[in-house]
Amino acid sequence: MIEIKEVSKIYDLKNRKVVAVDNVSLSINNGDIFGIIGYSGAGKSTLVRMINQLETQDKGKILINGHELNKLSPKQLRQLRTKIGMIFQHFNLLWSRTVSENIELALQIAGIKDKHKRQQRVKELVDLVGLTGRENAYPSELSGGQKQRVAIAGILAMSPSIIILDEATSMLDPKGKKEINNLVHQLNKDK
Ligand code: ADP
C-alpha cells in the first residue's frame, strides 16, 4: 500500500518559489491501478517521483507498506527502489540492440548472471508483453506501442512490486495507447 499524507513540494528558484505539489493526500491499495490526471505543470511528475524519492518532499509523509520513506537508511532506500519500476514517455531503450538484447540487458542489471537463465527469462518476458516473433527487431523497426512494450518487459525483469508510468502513452497514437493500457491491465490481473 502507498500512502501519501499531506505532501508538499516547493521548488525554491532564484527569484520565486514554485509550489509544485500542494498538500496532497491519497492512498493506493495493493493491486490498484491508480491514475493521476491534471493539466501540464499541475505537479503529476513531481508527485510520482516522490514515491521512489527521486524527489523528496518538503512537507508530509510517504509510506510504502507502512514504512515511512524518509526514515529509511540509504541502503534500505536503494533496496526499495529496485522494487519500483518507472516507465517514461521516451521508451528508454538502446537503439543499437534488438528487442531480446534490450530485455537481456535489463536482466543483467537486475543481477541475473547465468546467460542461459537470462535467455529463458527473455523468452518469457517477450511472450508476456506480446512481442513473440519480433525478438530480433531493432527499436527503429517497431511501432511506438511495441517500443513501449519492450520498455515494460525491461521493467518486469526487475520483478517490481510497484510500476509508475509517467505519461507512458503520451507519445503514442490511439492504437498504441490502447495497446499499452490493455497490457497494463492484463499484467495487473496476471500478477
Ligand atoms: P506535470 O507532470 O503535471 O506536468 P510537473 O510535476 O512536471 O507537472 O511540474 C509541476 C511544477 O513544478 C511546474 O510548475 C514545473 O515548472 C515545476 N518544476 C518541476 N520540476 C522542477 C524543478 N526541478 N525545478 C523547478 N521547478 C520545477
Side-chain angles (χ1 to χ4, degrees), residues 8 17-18 24 26-27 40 42 46 56 58 63 71-72 80 82 112 126 128 149 151 166 182:
S8 298
K17 286 183 193 265
V18 177
V24 170
L26 56 88
S27 300
S40 173
T46 307
T56 48
D58 295 304
L63 296 95
K71 293 201 174 142
L72 299 180
L80 175 80
T82 65
I112 301 180
V126 163
L128 200 59
R149 284 196 258 166
D166 190 2
N182 289 344

Side-chain angles (χ1 to χ4, degrees), residues 84-116:
I84 305 178
M86 222 167 160
I87 310 268
F88 302 94
Q89 56 178 316
H90 293 291
F91 315 125
N92 276 16
L93 300 177
L94 290 180
W95 297 83
S96 60
R97 296 196 184 205
T98 63
V99 167
S100 288
E101 288 165 352
N102 265 286
I103 301 172
E104 193 178 344
L105 179 68
L107 289 162
Q108 229 166 341
I109 294 169
I112 301 180
K113 295 202 170 68
D114 183 287
K115 187 155 179 77
H116 180 72

Side-chain angles (χ1 to χ4, degrees), residues 30 75 153:
N30 290 352
K75 188 175 170 207

Side-chain angles (χ1 to χ4, degrees), residues 11 13 18-20 38-47 55 166-167:
Y11 291 108
L13 306 183
V18 177
V19 182
Y39 292 115
S40 173
K44 304 176 298 292
S45 288
T46 307
L47 182 65
E55 295 282 2
D166 190 2
E167 310 239 357

Side-chain angles (χ1 to χ4, degrees), residues 10-18:
I10 299 137
Y11 291 108
D12 217 343
L13 306 183
K14 263 190 214 132
N15 50 356
R16 67 197 168 99
K17 286 183 193 265
V18 177

